[in-house]
């Protein structure tokens, strides 16, 4: 791990984190192979679970899918340690996701337990966990459910929030970070499905390629995007560039993206690196805790780490 990534990691571990932020920190460390730290974060996530099984719950208790963001890394921690406390937490989280959580008639989990809402964030939080756990049909039911509800066919981008009960958008805006959640979820999902789901893998890769093609049209000259991708009056934001660069490098390494995307990934990565301050914080991401202005966030730190790992892995493959 390079010095810049080490600085970003120190900042991430110093930050206060909600359930999805804890999960994203775990995922970043998991992809870097830092399993000792993953296990520690997993233990804390399991310790802070609610009675109904939702992991890493602190401060926000209406979240349905966000606690599942710890899932893939938690599964890996269980496999590595065979620890009974971790396995108990894993089983409780699976029981929540598979049987207890509120969902639509089609079996698609709502984002909150206070209404019948689908958020694009949920594409990242839930389906990869279910796929990593081997519940492929349940993972795809949720993944396709969110996509169908939130994909805007007119522009090829993802909208943010849909009310399933009212049959209308709560927020139709094409939020940059939300599109990053969806894109990163597509990348993870196609990699977690086995060969017996080859057609679904191809379909999800096509979705990812389509979303990339639609989003890149809105990239600014400095390699950043607006907070709402197609609304220039919104602030310039860093994290979507990281999420997009991560996704492109993954696609290049795995061979399902054309090499013509390499320059775009590098340009986006360079733009994000320019936003690291002296302490290691990635600045001008969609800022926590309200995510309505530029700032810093655990998401921004974690996706910097994910991007840097994906870039390093791609570089290693090219050298062979």
């Amino acid at each position: 791990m390079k010095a810049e990534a080490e600085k970003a990691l120190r900042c991430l571990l110093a930050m206060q984190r909600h359930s999805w932020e804890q999960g994203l920190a775990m995922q970043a460390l998991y992809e870097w192979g830092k399993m000792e730290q993953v296990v520690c974060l997993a233990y804390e996530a399991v310790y802070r679970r609610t009675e109904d099984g939702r992991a890493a719950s602190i401060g926000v208790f209406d979240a349905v899918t966000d606690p599942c963001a710890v899932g893939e890394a938690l599964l890996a921690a269980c496999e590595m340690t065979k620890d009974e406390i971790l396995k108990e937490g894993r089983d409780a989280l699976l029981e929540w996701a598979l049987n207890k959580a509120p969902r639509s008639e089609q079996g698609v989990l709502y984002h909150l337990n206070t209404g019948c809402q689908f958020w694009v964030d949920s594409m990242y939080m839930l389906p990869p966990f279910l796929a990593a756990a081997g519940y492929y049909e349940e993972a795809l039911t949720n993944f396709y459910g969110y996509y169908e509800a939130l994909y805007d066919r007119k522009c090829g981008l993802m909208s943010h929030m849909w009310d399933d009960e009212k049959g209308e958008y709560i927020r139709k805006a094409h939020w940059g970070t939300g599109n990053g959640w969806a894109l990163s979820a597509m990348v993870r999902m196609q990699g977690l499905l086995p060969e017996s789901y080859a057609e679904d893998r191809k379909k999800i890769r096509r979705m990812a390629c389509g979303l990339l093609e639609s989003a890149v049209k809105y990239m600014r000259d400095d390699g950043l995007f607006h907070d709402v991708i197609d609304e220039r009056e919104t602030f310039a934001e860093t994290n979507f560039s990281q999420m997009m660069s991560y996704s492109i490098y993954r696609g290049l390494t795995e061979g399902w993206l054309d090499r013509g995307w390499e320059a775009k990934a590098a340009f986006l990565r360079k733009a994000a690196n320019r936003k690291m301050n002296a302490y290691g914080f990635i600045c001008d991401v969609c800022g926590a805790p309200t995510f309505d202005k530029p700032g810093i966030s655990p998401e921004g730190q974690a996706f910097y780490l994910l991007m840097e790992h994906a870039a390093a892995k791609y570089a290693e493959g090219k050298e062979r």
Side-chain angles (χ1 to χ4, degrees):
M1 187 179 279
K2 292 183 178 180
E4 291 82 0
E6 290 283 1
K7 287 171 65 176
L9 176 58
R10 285 197 299 271
C11 290
L12 171 59
L13 295 178
M15 299 174 87
Q16 299 177 65
R17 297 186 296 276
H18 287 298
S19 59
W20 72 93
E21 296 163 333
Q22 182 82 348
L24 197 54
M26 289 169 63
Q27 186 66 27
L29 286 162
Y30 171 62
E31 294 197 18
W32 269 103
K34 304 282 188 181
M35 285 305 299
E36 289 186 3
Q37 289 162 299
V38 169
V39 169
C40 291
L41 289 168
Y43 199 93
E44 168 68 0
V46 164
Y47 173 75
R48 291 193 184 276
R49 72 178 185 270
T50 57
E51 289 185 6
D52 54 25
R54 288 175 288 168
S57 294
I58 180 169
V60 176
F61 296 101
D62 60 353
V64 171
T65 61
D66 286 342
C68 297
V70 307
E72 185 181 2
L74 173 58
L75 292 166
C78 289
E79 182 63 27
M80 174 182 167
T81 64
K82 313 298 182 187
D83 185 274
E84 291 300 323
I85 292 174
L86 291 179
K87 289 194 285 185
E88 183 181 337
R90 172 202 63 193
D91 293 345
L93 186 59
L94 278 169
E95 177 66 15
W96 165 257
L98 293 170
N99 299 313
K100 292 181 178 179
R103 66 200 68 213
S104 70
E105 292 181 2
Q106 293 73 35
V108 183
L109 269 63
Y110 297 127
H111 191 76
L112 305 172
N113 61 17
T114 53
C116 303
Q117 301 176 10
F118 297 146
W119 292 20
V120 71
D121 314 45
S122 290
M123 288 185 73
Y124 186 92
M125 310 304 166
L126 176 68
F129 168 45
L130 295 175
Y135 293 93
Y136 304 119
E137 291 299 322
E138 292 84 352
L140 289 168
T141 292
N142 282 278
F143 180 85
Y144 290 143
Y146 297 135
Y147 184 82
E148 288 301 317
L150 295 163
Y151 181 63
D152 187 341
R153 286 169 174 76
K154 290 183 179 179
C155 64
L157 298 171
M158 303 296 298
S159 292
H160 189 190
M161 302 174 184
W162 172 262
D163 190 305
D164 195 46
E165 188 173 44
K166 296 179 180 177
E168 62 186 30
Y169 286 106
I170 304 165
R171 188 188 186 207
K172 193 173 183 180
H174 306 121
W175 182 38
T177 301
N179 277 266
W181 287 130
L183 183 59
S184 303
M186 293 168 187
V187 170
R188 290 179 64 198
M189 278 292 291
Q190 63 80 34
L192 289 166
L193 293 172
E195 283 299 325
S196 56
Y197 284 81
E199 290 305 311
D200 288 291
R201 292 177 68 182
K202 291 178 184 176
K203 181 178 178 179
I204 293 170
R205 287 170 181 171
R206 288 195 297 270
M207 290 177 177
C209 290
L211 187 50
L212 281 169
E213 292 282 2
S214 297
V216 76
K217 299 173 186 175
Y218 296 96
M219 185 175 67
R220 293 158 42 106
D221 291 341
D222 59 1
L224 302 180
F225 292 82
H226 290 278
D227 180 54
V228 177
I229 295 174
D230 52 353
E231 294 183 15
R232 291 183 175 274
E233 64 274 17
T234 61
F235 62 87
E237 195 273 335
T238 307
N239 201 25
F240 182 52
S241 294
Q242 298 184 143
M243 298 165 113
M244 197 169 176
S245 183
Y246 162 76
S247 300
I248 293 170
Y249 278 124
R250 283 279 306 261
L252 290 168
T253 300
E254 295 165 12
W256 51 269
L257 263 187
D258 185 89
R259 289 286 288 271
W261 282 98
E262 181 179 352
K264 288 284 194 304
F267 187 60
L268 293 162
R269 182 185 174 211
K270 186 176 181 180
N273 269 281
R274 286 197 300 268
K275 288 293 186 174
M276 178 182 282
N277 71 13
Y279 299 104
F281 287 106
I282 312 304
C283 298
D284 298 328
V285 301
C286 195
T290 54
F291 304 101
D292 58 357
K293 58 184 178 294
I296 59 174
S297 74
E299 298 171 12
Q301 299 302 122
F303 262 104
Y304 178 85
L305 292 167
L306 286 164
M307 175 186 69
E308 289 299 289
H309 178 263
K313 193 169 182 180
Y314 178 63
E316 288 173 11
K318 286 182 66 178
E319 292 173 0
R320 291 174 189 158

